């Protein structure tokens, strides 16, 4: 693996991990009223497009990190939908 791929993987890990604290907090508290569903929908669209881009470019770093990010953000959206009616 070359340095550019490692750099891409590291960058992807940094951006992907950003949602983890919010995901954990939502899971524990079951409160998501302060999280914007529109923002997460746009984020999911963007991350999904990054995955497609990575596949088209055959770029493992983009595919793996954004694929994992897509799963995490879909999990957050699920929690938002599940707990949106709770106070």
């Amino acid at each position: 693996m070359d340095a550019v791929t490692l750099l891409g993987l590291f960058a992807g890990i940094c951006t992907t991990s950003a949602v983890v604290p919010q995901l954990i907090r939502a899971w524990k508290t079951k409160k998501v009223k302060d999280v914007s569903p529109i923002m997460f929908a746009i984020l999911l669209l963007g991350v999904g497009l990054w995955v497609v881009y990575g596949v088209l470019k055959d770029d493992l770093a983009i595919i793996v990190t954004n694929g994992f990010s897509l799963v995490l953000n879909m999990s957050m959206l699920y929690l938002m939908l599940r707990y949106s009616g709770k106070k």
Side-chain angles (χ1 to χ4, degrees), residues 48-64:
L49 291 172
W50 271 114
V51 172
V52 172
Y53 176 80
V55 169
L56 294 173
K57 296 291 275 183
D58 195 30
D59 189 317
L60 185 63
I62 292 174
I63 297 166
V64 170

Side-chain angles (χ1 to χ4, degrees), residues 19 36-52 66-78 80-81:
V19 74
S36 169
I38 294 171
M39 184 275 300
F40 264 89
I42 293 169
L43 182 61
L44 281 170
L45 175 63
V47 171
L49 291 172
W50 271 114
V51 172
V52 172
N66 285 287
F68 189 62
S69 181
L70 188 62
V71 170
L72 288 176
N73 285 298
M74 286 173 55
S75 300
M76 185 63 198
L77 185 61
Y78 167 77
M80 291 169 63
L81 293 171

